[in-house]
Amino acid sequence: MNILQVTNKVPFPTKDGGAIACMNLTKGFYELGNKVTVLAMNTLKHHVRADEIPDEIKKLATFIFVDVPARINAFEALINLIFSRRPYNAVRFIDQKFSKSLQQLLTENQFDIIQLEGLYVLPYIPVIRKYSEATVVYRAHNVEFEIWERAAKLAHGFKKFYLQNLSKRIRRFEKQLLNTYDLLVPITARDGDILDKLGNKKDKQVSQTGIDSSKLIPDFSTIEFPSLFHMGSLEWAPNQEGVVWFIENCWTEIHNSYPDLKFYVAGRNAPQWLIDKLNIEGVIFKGEVADAYKFMNSKAVMVVPLFSGSGMRIKIVEGMALGKSIVSTSIGAEGIHVTNGKNVLIANDAHEFIDAVSGLISDKGYFKEIGENASLFIRQNFDNLAITEKLIAFYKQYTK
């Protein structure tokens, strides 16, 4: 099949969940013999030069980047709040230049599947309908309004008001765009159920983000045991909130019980205020690491104290694949169908987090058992090629 993936940011480097979800499927499509084109907005925040893409990635697809500023501007956000009913998050990605590039691409090529990666490229469906007869797929990486609804519950003052307003706008926006596509492909079953309740009537198939087992190989030769770590994009508010919560509610008690224990925090684009918060005894801020898998292999217990967000956390899947024992909130582990106490430990308050972490770092046998079960579970359920093959079979039912 000839497949077009449309995304609101360049899916490289693969250092965040959205990029990983997009690129892993691109690779799966290619390895199964499909022709793939990726049309991506090249935003100011995540700008990538074409010559930065390595040859091993370039061979997977034809990559077309269109410069779209999509800048975040506080004044524009305020004006949008006062004079518009559309969510500012979505408005930033509606761009005439990108629309023309899409039009030209559709005029010059005949695609079987056009897969829209996320909510913010759905407004381009009218252009697709006008210039293409392809089957249009909405790949829902998460339930967008839920991210902001959950974030609002944790906020205070004007920020709380703004996020509540934003979540309502996004929910309305999300609902208006339901069923404008032909097929729905949510990354988690839970997200698919929520979108059905919101009004989706189109056929759907859940398709999780797969992993490449050949690259995610557990290595305990350099592991620092005991140790704790958190890894994720530190420009993402849910990660920021979670790390700060763990520091303020759990770390002091854990550190008092285990004074030699280190808690490593890694991730890109951490704001200075967060770096300052992490400047306490026993906490080591690593920033962006050169090799994420090498870093994860070198540390022991992964903590994921997420209380907002939506979709599936790819870093948990990767951590499990690497045999990490993981302590996560229920929200953090959503969509992965883990078994508490077998392949991951679920903790939803400070007391549960402290107990779970203490149990793992005080019993190396228990630590190893959870990690081994985690690795086996991911290899049995998240193989990228098997997931992509199943998705292609679903698509073939709806293509001419």
Side-chain angles (χ1 to χ4, degrees):
M1 287 198 295
N2 193 4
I3 300 171
L4 171 64
Q5 289 175 270
V6 182
T7 180
N8 69 329
K9 71 173 183 177
V10 176
F12 183 86
T14 50
K15 294 185 177 182
D16 61 73
I20 293 168
C22 183
M23 190 62 77
N24 283 14
L25 206 46
T26 303
K27 184 177 181 182
F29 287 150
Y30 166 80
E31 291 179 342
L32 290 173
N34 300 283
K35 182 180 178 183
V36 188
T37 302
V38 177
L39 177 66
M41 297 185 191
N42 205 1
T43 66
L44 292 174
K45 186 176 181 180
H46 299 105
H47 199 272
V48 178
R49 299 192 317 273
D51 60 8
E52 292 180 89
I53 308 295
D55 291 340
E56 65 177 28
I57 298 296
K58 286 180 180 178
K59 74 177 184 180
L60 304 178
T62 299
F63 290 91
I64 303 171
F65 301 159
V66 181
D67 287 337
V68 176
R71 60 173 55 87
I72 299 173
N73 182 286
F75 178 72
E76 290 178 358
L78 182 60
I79 294 299
N80 172 268
L81 178 66
I82 298 170
F83 295 105
S84 175
R85 287 174 54 83
R86 296 190 300 176
Y88 181 62
N89 294 40
V91 170
R92 295 189 300 116
F93 297 105
I94 297 174
D95 182 86
Q96 189 62 33
K97 184 178 178 182
F98 188 78
S99 182
K100 288 182 178 178
S101 295
L102 175 60
Q103 176 184 331
Q104 182 178 347
L105 183 63
L106 297 177
T107 302
E108 296 174 354
N109 298 271
Q110 187 172 339
F111 295 101
D112 300 300
I113 295 288
I114 298 177
Q115 183 172 287
L116 301 173
E117 302 281 351
L119 177 67
Y120 297 130
V121 288
L122 290 193
Y124 294 95
I125 288 179
V127 176
I128 295 170
R129 296 298 190 199
K130 186 174 181 179
Y131 296 98
S132 174
E133 296 182 358
T135 300
V136 179
V137 178
Y138 171 29
R139 189 181 185 213
H141 288 221
N142 46 52
V143 178
E144 198 70 27
F145 80 83
E146 186 177 49
I147 296 174
W148 305 100
E149 190 174 73
R150 285 173 166 173
K153 290 178 180 177
L154 300 174
H156 304 280
F158 178 77
K159 183 178 180 181
K160 186 179 188 72
F161 163 76
Y162 181 80
L163 292 178
Q164 286 175 331
N165 181 279
L166 180 62
S167 68
K168 289 176 183 177
R169 290 183 181 208
I170 293 177
R171 188 181 192 279
R172 184 169 60 243
F173 181 76
E174 213 156 359
K175 192 170 183 178
Q176 288 170 347
L177 290 168
L178 288 176
N179 304 309
T180 58
Y181 43 81
D182 299 310
L183 300 172
L184 173 64
V185 177
I187 283 180
T188 74
R190 177 182 176 276
D191 289 353
D193 290 342
I194 293 173
L195 291 172
D196 281 351
K197 290 176 182 176
L198 200 63
N200 173 65
K201 301 298 181 185
K202 299 294 185 177
D203 288 349
K204 72 176 188 295
Q205 177 163 298
V206 176
S207 186
Q208 301 159 310
T209 299
I211 61 107
D212 183 351
S213 298
S214 67
K215 292 187 176 181
L216 285 154
I217 302 171
D219 179 5
F220 299 99
S221 62
T222 61
I223 193 167
E224 178 186 345
F225 183 89
S227 60
L228 306 182
F229 76 97
H230 174 86
M231 184 165 190
S233 173
L234 295 176
E235 64 183 348
W236 194 46
N239 281 339
Q240 295 170 355
E241 294 161 354
V243 170
V244 170
W245 177 87
F246 184 78
I247 292 290
E248 293 179 345
N249 294 277
C250 307
W251 177 245
T252 299
E253 186 170 335
I254 293 172
H255 188 55
N256 286 341
S257 299
Y258 305 93
D260 295 328
L261 185 70
K262 298 291 189 294
F263 174 39
Y264 298 87
V265 179
R268 62 176 180 165
N269 297 337
Q272 188 58 48
W273 69 262
L274 180 59
I275 296 172
D276 293 340
K277 282 267 188 184
L278 298 175
N279 186 25
I280 60 175
E281 187 177 356
V283 178
I284 299 174
F285 172 66
K286 300 292 288 185
E288 184 174 359
V289 294
D291 187 327
Y293 299 157
K294 183 178 180 180
F295 169 78
M296 293 169 78
N297 268 325
S298 72
K299 304 295 177 273
V301 177
M302 181 178 183
V303 294
V304 188
L306 281 181
F307 295 93
S308 61
S310 182
M312 188 178 81
R313 261 58 61 181
I314 306 300
K315 279 291 177 280
I316 289 186
V317 174
E318 292 181 331
M320 293 179 73
L322 291 171
K324 300 292 100 178
S325 57
I326 298 173
V327 183
S328 171
T329 57
S330 297
I331 288 176
E334 278 176 352
I336 307 177
H337 302 297
V338 296
T339 302
N340 183 26
K342 182 179 180 181
N343 45 38
V344 77
L345 298 185
I346 299 297
N348 290 310
D349 60 35
H351 178 73
E352 291 177 353
F353 254 94
I354 293 166
D355 281 356
V357 167
S358 299
L360 290 168
I361 64 178
S362 62
D363 186 342
K364 196 168 186 178
Y366 182 46
F367 159 80
K368 289 178 68 176
E369 178 187 343
I370 296 294
E372 288 169 358
N373 290 342
S375 182
L376 177 63
F377 172 78
I378 295 300
R379 276 156 177 73
Q380 290 176 337
N381 295 280
F382 284 81
D383 178 74
N384 189 56
L385 211 55
I387 288 171
T388 309
E389 196 167 19
K390 186 178 177 182
L391 184 60
I392 287 292
F394 175 66
Y395 285 168
K396 285 182 177 178
Q397 299 175 51
Y398 299 89
T399 53
K400 297 176 182 178

